[in-house]
Amino acid sequence: MADHYDVAIVGAGPGGYVAAIRAAQLGFRTACIESRGSLGGTCLNIGCIPSKALLQSSEKFAEAGQALAEHGVKLGEVGLDLAAMMERKDNVVTTLTRGVEFLFRKNKVDWIKGKGRIAAPGRIAVTGHEGAAHEVEATSIIIATGSQSTRLPGIEIDEKRIVSSTGALALDRVPRRLTVIGGGYIGLELGSVWQRLGAKVTVVEALDRIIPNMDRELGTALHRVLARTGLDFRLATKLAGLRDLHDVFELELEGADQQTLAADVVLVAVGRRPYTDGLGLEALGVVLDEHGRVAVDDGFATNIPGIYAIGDVIRGPMLAHKAEEEGIALAEQLAGQKPHVDYDAIPGVVYTWPEVASVGSTEEELNAAAIPYRIGKFPFSANPRARSNGYTEGFVKVLAERETDRVLGVHIIGPDAGTLIAEATLAKEFGASAEDIARTCHAHPTLSEALKEAALAVDGRAIHI
Ligand code: NAI
């Protein structure tokens, strides 16, 4: 007989595992079906977490090689032990994925190992690793199967010489020349890792700017800093062809830059697409939208009663924290609560150096919507803590509605931007005005004073510029 659950979730990424824990907290008998050998999905296993581990390690390597001398710290010869760096990254991943297993046990969530297919509303057929079949019944089914890398036609990813983010997190040597296709989140973060470790990195981006979804000024500023540190950018340029000369690739470019490029490794980072393969959605009649995402209403319900979807597989930014919010909201909704996800207050962070972080509307969006706004800007070069730390690159930009002073968007490039954006996100959640931030006491000397000063600057009242 099939096991019966109140809630069964397919996929144990940040959307799925968080939904499972919240559902269990609310008293639901909950199962989470996951075929990967460890919990945590792309984010913990082959995404956010291993990339952050490598960003941290490579930043230390780059600092040891160049930046510490300025602080009066003298080192001998600096060497790279890539195997040790990779082992550390793997250990970070293992600790965190085991942490999710612990949380499942603590909350009495059953991890059902195998690949789930929704056989009918309320029924999931699970195929285990050795082909063992198992059936799970559930009152509510949540699809949280995430996304996978978008492929470029005619380019075969072998995860050794032509890699997606997965292979780029596990190269066994530093490539002499790495070409990155796509100047978005993945291309810039992983391009930075390998550039710091010694590769000559070229980024080929189809549009005329990098991080095209963020406020244009951030892209321009990041481009300038990364180019200065040695990344080579080919903007408004696409890959037209790739020839494998066995020990090297010859890349043919088209667009603004028509040259050919030689590369030892090519990283394809041109976006991600929803992952619904093998879920049986077509047979069930679950409606997808024009981008292949599962179509859901405001309550995450698909067109089939009892089947819901959250995270990368539905509309909205493909971000772990967005998926988590949706997972929590859906579990609470199933328990009869009235939760709400504010899609205008979801921060986006690129973990390059300097970091880039945004929340709310960009200037381009406000102009397109003809919403009058005022700008307050403050550079980190005028922030005493940034000066003391020696990280003076970047600025904070606050966009406030002209008439009401309500904060519409905050855009930061600079040291610790990913942490600083949390205050701006809270301000947006609370419907704060720029003046609310400006009148809030910020500890001195901290980087957060730059946000306060930018908020003051909205009204022309910044003190330190
Ligand atoms: P992305 O959407 O951030 O960037 C893809 C870039 O590739 C865009 O700039 C696009 O214009 C360009 N592009 C598309 N086709 C191209 C072509 N044929 N030739 C040259 N350029 C082309 O996607 P990315 O970097 O692959 O990341 C995928 C997703 O993963 C993102 O949507 C992001 O949400 C998530 N992610 C988030 C991270 C974070 O929060 N820090 C880190 C890594 C990934």
Side-chain angles (χ1 to χ4, degrees), residues 151-152 154-168 171 178-179 181 239 241-244 248-251 263-269:
R151 300 285 146 114
L152 281 177
I155 298 201
E156 200 62 47
I157 306 272
D158 64 9
E159 299 295 11
K160 296 268 182 252
R161 295 172 62 225
I162 303 187
V163 296
S164 68
S165 48
T166 306
L171 297 178
L178 170 70
T179 294
I181 314 294
L239 184 64
L242 178 144
R243 281 206 314 148
D244 187 353
V248 65
F249 292 109
E250 192 179 82
L251 278 67
D264 305 295
V265 174
V266 178
L267 163 60
V268 179

Side-chain angles (χ1 to χ4, degrees), residues 54-302:
L54 289 183
L55 277 159
Q56 181 73 7
S57 298
S58 62
E59 197 175 306
K60 288 195 180 300
F61 177 71
E63 252 197 342
Q66 297 145 21
L68 290 182
E70 168 190 325
H71 290 265
V73 180
K74 277 177 147 179
L75 294 175
E77 200 184 328
V78 175
L80 174 67
D81 183 346
L82 185 62
M85 199 179 274
M86 289 292 172
E87 194 184 327
R88 175 188 177 276
K89 170 209 67 171
D90 292 340
N91 289 338
V92 170
V93 168
T94 305
T95 308
L96 289 176
T97 56
R98 293 228 177 108
V100 180
E101 278 182 51
F102 161 77
L103 292 173
F104 270 17
R105 282 194 301 275
K106 180 181 164 208
N107 289 283
K108 301 192 172 46
V109 174
D110 288 343
W111 172 12
I112 298 177
K113 297 180 185 176
K115 197 159 167 43
R117 179 178 57 83
I118 308 174
R123 265 184 35 224
I124 304 175
V126 183
T127 312
H129 292 301
E130 277 92 45
H134 186 77
E135 197 160 275
V136 173
E137 283 180 4
T139 311
S140 302
I141 293 175
I142 302 177
I143 302 167
T145 44
S147 60
Q148 60 178 188
S149 306
T150 304
R151 300 285 146 114
L152 281 177
I155 298 201
E156 200 62 47
I157 306 272
D158 64 9
E159 299 295 11
K160 296 268 182 252
R161 295 172 62 225
I162 303 187
V163 296
S164 68
S165 48
T166 306
L169 289 165
L171 297 178
D172 58 8
R173 75 183 79 144
V174 179
R176 202 156 67 81
R177 293 156 300 188
L178 170 70
T179 294
V180 177
I181 314 294
Y185 285 77
I186 292 176
L188 298 178
E189 290 184 7
L190 294 178
S192 295
V193 165
W194 292 106
Q195 190 258 340
R196 291 169 189 169
L197 298 181
K200 172 80 196 127
V201 176
T202 305
V203 178
V204 178
E205 165 58 51
L207 300 179
D208 65 353
R209 55 178 170 148
I210 58 172
I211 45 167
N213 296 331
M214 287 184 146
D215 191 276
R216 185 177 268 273
E217 221 180 329
L218 295 182
T220 308
L222 183 65
H223 181 183
R224 200 178 313 123
V225 185
L226 293 181
R228 209 188 314 130
T229 61
L231 258 87
D232 180 20
F233 289 96
R234 310 294 168 93
L235 300 184
T237 299
K238 275 185 160 181
L239 184 64
L242 178 144
R243 281 206 314 148
D244 187 353
L245 307 177
H246 300 295
D247 53 346
V248 65
F249 292 109
E250 192 179 82
L251 278 67
E252 201 185 315
L253 305 183
E254 69 178 19
D257 191 329
Q258 306 273 6
Q259 292 173 28
T260 54
L261 266 183
D264 305 295
V265 174
V266 178
L267 163 60
V268 179
V270 294
R272 295 182 64 84
R273 62 184 175 86
Y275 180 64
T276 55
D277 297 0
L279 266 180
L281 300 190
E282 202 178 298
L284 277 168
V286 171
V287 172
L288 304 183
D289 68 15
E290 68 278 18
H291 302 290
R293 301 174 296 200
V294 178
V296 290
D297 65 12
D298 288 348
F300 310 106
T302 69

Side-chain angles (χ1 to χ4, degrees), residues 375-404:
I375 305 178
K377 246 177 102 173
F378 190 81
F380 282 103
S381 57
N383 172 275
R385 185 61 185 276
R387 273 271 156 218
S388 314
N389 292 355
Y391 301 137
T392 52
E393 208 71 66
F395 56 84
V396 178
K397 174 160 111 174
V398 174
L399 304 174
E401 193 169 32
R402 177 169 295 281
E403 206 179 328
T404 64

